[in-house]
Amino acid sequence: MSSKYPRSVRCSLPLWALTVEAALILLFFFFTYYDASLEDQKGLLASYQVCQDLTVMAALGLGFFTSNLRRHGWSSVAFNLFMLALGVQWAILLDGFLSQFPPGKVVIKLLSIRLATRSAMSALISVGAVLGKVNLVQLVVMVLVELTVFGTVRMVIYNIFGTDYHMNMMYIHVFAAYFGLTVAWCLPKPLPKATEDKYRTATSPSLFAMLGTLFLWIFWPTFNSALLTNPIERKNAVFNTYYALAVSAVTAISVSSLAHPRGKINMTYMHNAVLAGGVAVSASCHLIPSPWIAMVLGLVAGLISIGGAKCLPVCFNRVLGIHESHSVHYTFGLPGLLGEIAYIVLMALHVVWASSNMIGFQVLLSTGAFSLAMAMSITSGLLTGLLLNLKIWKGPHVAKYFDDQAFWKFPRLAVGF
């Protein structure tokens, strides 16, 4: 029976986490300095407000978004904060080192924190596929590897394909989703029957998860417009994101009721589909010339999200052997694929409207950049999953999957948990 007790991370977690933190402090000491240039007060305040919105999305939105399981709420919220704090530090350094050649000291601006927070969100999305089946040490490894690969892919796409900060960041949804799914495929399976009771939602946890969804829903226009510099493009991005989110929310409630034999609304489908519109227009929100296009994308994204959540789990779980913890594929993966296709189509239309003969070249560039992001996400996810299976990380026993007792001190519980 001793094998069913969680493996202690008392030594490994402080050792690895504090070693990484000490290394980051040294890197910041030797290789960074603050931007000394003066900014106007209005521009500084606006930039800081964008940083605040992104932090709320990452800490509260994605933190509570994965807290719907009845016995895994504490870990979902607190581990999310831990990974965000660690990931932002590493992403600031990584973006600074990769964006200059030859490497030199990194200038830290508010834009640096904005980019780092968005990059860290890729890891927070991916972790939703494996949360509850890994410990905090494994999550540290996963965050560092994913942010390194994602940052490198972004810089490669920027330099080879000539995309701007906004576009190369918008691969985040498909990259994060399929990175996380590939890691989940590498973890031990099948799940034991003992975990089925713990892998259930309850009323209060589902309400907290819906709170996270609402935070993401409210601030998603900021996420989609944060890196756009042209005022007209930024305005279009905000408007189109609102339209798409509104339609996907209506679609989520309506189609969820339609999918149930007795017409009842499924809260899990709500979690998946409410955000689908915002994900689907992320790449192309600044290019959409009319609100009806954004609304159509929101409608289709909501349908795809609920349809995938209704029909694909059997295929993923039984055929492919992929068990994801929090429906990352249906919230970010499938709508993200729709968004990339929509972006390629809109880019081609813009070239046609401009009476240019470069349509084939533009489509080829967009398809190549997207294909590179997908290939790197699956390849790096596979390598990360194999790395997380090493015994050195002391991963939790399968009997303790989706159980806060494996990591937290609870009052009035037996010693040994």
Side-chain angles (χ1 to χ4, degrees):
M1 294 297 292
S2 60
S3 63
K4 291 187 177 182
Y5 286 96
R7 302 180 180 100
S8 174
V9 294
R10 182 181 181 186
C11 295
S12 57
L13 176 60
L15 173 64
W16 289 104
L18 294 180
T19 299
V20 170
E21 190 59 54
L24 289 172
I25 291 173
L26 290 175
L27 289 171
F28 272 93
F29 177 76
F30 287 108
F31 297 104
T32 66
Y33 64 95
Y34 288 132
D35 180 23
S37 62
L38 295 176
E39 293 187 52
D40 65 283
Q41 192 67 22
K42 185 177 180 181
L44 181 65
L45 181 61
S47 183
Y48 180 68
Q49 287 175 339
V50 171
C51 288
Q52 276 188 317
D53 290 353
L54 294 176
T55 303
V56 169
M57 290 182 69
L60 294 179
L62 290 173
F64 284 107
F65 181 76
T66 56
S67 65
N68 60 317
L69 298 185
R70 57 190 295 266
R71 294 181 63 176
H72 202 258
W74 288 23
S75 300
S76 298
V77 177
F79 288 2
N80 181 84
L81 176 61
F82 181 93
M83 291 181 289
L84 173 64
L86 183 67
V88 167
Q89 296 175 66
W90 176 232
I92 288 175
L93 290 170
L94 185 67
D95 285 347
F97 290 143
L98 292 176
S99 62
Q100 54 184 341
F101 187 83
K105 284 203 168 187
V106 177
V107 184
I108 297 180
K109 307 177 182 179
L110 276 174
L111 177 62
S112 307
I113 301 175
R114 196 187 308 176
L115 286 170
T117 303
R118 290 167 66 97
S119 295
M121 289 176 71
S122 68
L124 304 184
I125 293 171
S126 297
V127 162
V130 300
L131 200 60
K133 297 180 283 186
V134 291
N135 62 31
L136 201 48
V137 182
Q138 293 170 300
L139 291 179
V140 170
V141 176
M142 184 173 173
V143 168
L144 294 178
V145 173
E146 180 173 359
L147 291 187
T148 302
V149 177
F150 183 58
T152 304
V153 169
R154 284 181 47 237
M155 289 305 166
V156 169
I157 291 175
Y158 174 78
N159 290 309
I160 295 180
F161 297 95
T163 60
D164 56 15
Y165 276 131
H166 169 81
M167 193 55 227
N168 65 34
M169 183 63 77
M170 284 311 170
Y171 295 114
I172 182 174
H173 305 298
V174 292
F175 184 95
Y178 291 100
F179 180 96
L181 289 171
T182 309
V183 174
W185 179 74
C186 296
L187 295 179
K189 51 186 178 290
L191 296 182
K193 292 185 177 180
T195 63
E196 292 180 359
D197 180 62
K198 290 181 286 186
Y199 189 69
R200 290 180 181 175
T201 59
T203 302
S204 294
S206 291
L207 185 59
F208 280 116
M210 194 61 202
L211 177 64
T213 302
L214 292 177
F215 275 117
L216 293 171
W217 194 90
I218 291 169
F219 290 107
W220 209 274
T222 300
F223 181 87
N224 282 358
S225 62
L227 298 180
L228 294 169
T229 55
N230 185 300
I232 296 177
E233 290 184 346
R234 188 182 303 159
K235 179 193 71 174
N236 288 344
V238 171
F239 287 173
N240 288 321
T241 304
Y242 269 120
Y243 294 132
L245 285 169
V247 174
S248 65
V250 173
T251 304
I253 296 175
S254 305
V255 179
S256 175
S257 175
L258 179 65
H260 193 277
R262 298 174 60 186
K264 295 188 176 182
I265 300 170
N266 188 320
M267 183 64 84
T268 302
Y269 292 167
M270 287 283 294
H271 294 159
N272 298 340
V274 163
L275 301 173
V279 175
V281 299
S282 290
S284 58
C285 54
H286 61 298
L287 298 176
I288 297 175
S290 179
W292 71 268
I293 300 176
M295 297 169 77
V296 169
L297 281 175
L299 174 65
V300 176
L303 293 173
I304 289 175
S305 180
I306 292 183
K310 180 76 174 176
C311 304
L312 292 183
V314 174
C315 172
F316 264 64
N317 294 352
R318 297 180 184 176
V319 179
L320 300 179
I322 300 176
H323 179 277
E324 57 163 323
S325 304
H326 294 94
S327 302
V328 169
H329 191 211
Y330 318 120
T331 307
F332 300 99
L334 293 178
L337 290 175
L338 172 66
E340 295 300 333
I341 295 172
Y343 172 76
I344 294 173
V345 171
L346 285 170
M347 278 292 296
L349 290 176
H350 270 260
V351 173
V352 172
W353 292 333
S355 301
S356 172
N357 57 359
M358 298 288 289
I359 179 172
F361 181 68
Q362 290 292 342
V363 171
L364 184 63
L365 281 181
S366 301
T367 305
F370 172 60
S371 300
L372 176 62
M374 281 290 294
M376 289 302 298
S377 70
I378 294 173
T379 303
S380 58
L382 177 62
L383 295 176
T384 304
L386 296 175
L387 180 62
L388 295 188
N389 279 326
L390 297 178
K391 293 184 179 180
I392 188 177
W393 313 120
K394 297 184 178 180
H397 191 277
V398 290
K400 284 298 173 184
Y401 280 3
F402 313 114
D403 199 336
D404 278 333
Q405 293 181 35
F407 308 107
W408 295 91
K409 177 184 177 182
F410 279 83
R412 301 181 299 278
L413 286 180
V415 177
F417 285 96

